[in-house]
Amino acid sequence: MDPHHRKIDLQSPADLAYLHTNIKSSAQQKLDLAIPPSANPTNEPDTFRPQVQQLIQEYITSTLTLALPSLAINGLDAETSMLVDDNITTEVEDESIYEPYDPRLAERLRTL
């Protein structure tokens, strides 16, 4: 990695888990729009949708694995073991919805 570029700094492994969870849920929403689970008119099991889900999961995992060298978690390099789904699901079970950072609101809070 080029030493002139800073790494993306995360505060804890839970931040990486939060990003991974959000990416997975966004991909699931897009998949549900493109291939709705109820699109199968018969009661036969759908063979196409699970294959697409597997490909999407592999793509997300490979993308995050390639991004790990550019990430620092609490000042330390990120490790590939942090992307294991078992670790992520046990660390982050909170499905809170966070608003994007609003600098005007932050400034208003500081003046209070």
Side-chain angles (χ1 to χ4, degrees), residues 2 8 10 17 19 22 27 32 40-41 46 51-52 54 56 59 62 64 70 72 74 76 81 84 91 97 100:
D2 189 5
I8 299 169
L10 302 175
L19 290 172
N22 278 349
D32 289 343
N40 190 359
D46 189 5
Q51 292 174 351
V52 173
Q54 180 63 30
I56 290 171
Y59 177 76
S62 70
L64 288 176
S70 299
N74 204 13
L76 303 173
S81 63
V84 177
E91 287 181 15
I97 298 174

Side-chain angles (χ1 to χ4, degrees), residues 82-103:
M82 295 177 179
L83 286 180
V84 177
D85 283 335
D86 294 336
N87 293 342
I88 289 173
T89 55
T90 56
E91 287 181 15
V92 176
E93 293 180 6
D94 183 20
E95 294 185 15
S96 300
I97 298 174
Y98 298 97
E99 293 183 16
Y101 179 76
D102 185 359

Side-chain angles (χ1 to χ4, degrees), residues 9-19 72-75 82 91-92:
D9 192 25
L10 302 175
Q11 297 301 314
S12 70
D15 291 343
L16 180 61
Y18 172 78
L19 290 172
I73 298 177
N74 204 13
M82 295 177 179
E91 287 181 15
V92 176

Side-chain angles (χ1 to χ4, degrees), residues 45 60 65 69 80 95 99-100 106 109:
I60 291 170
T65 302
T80 54
E95 294 185 15
E99 293 183 16
L109 283 172

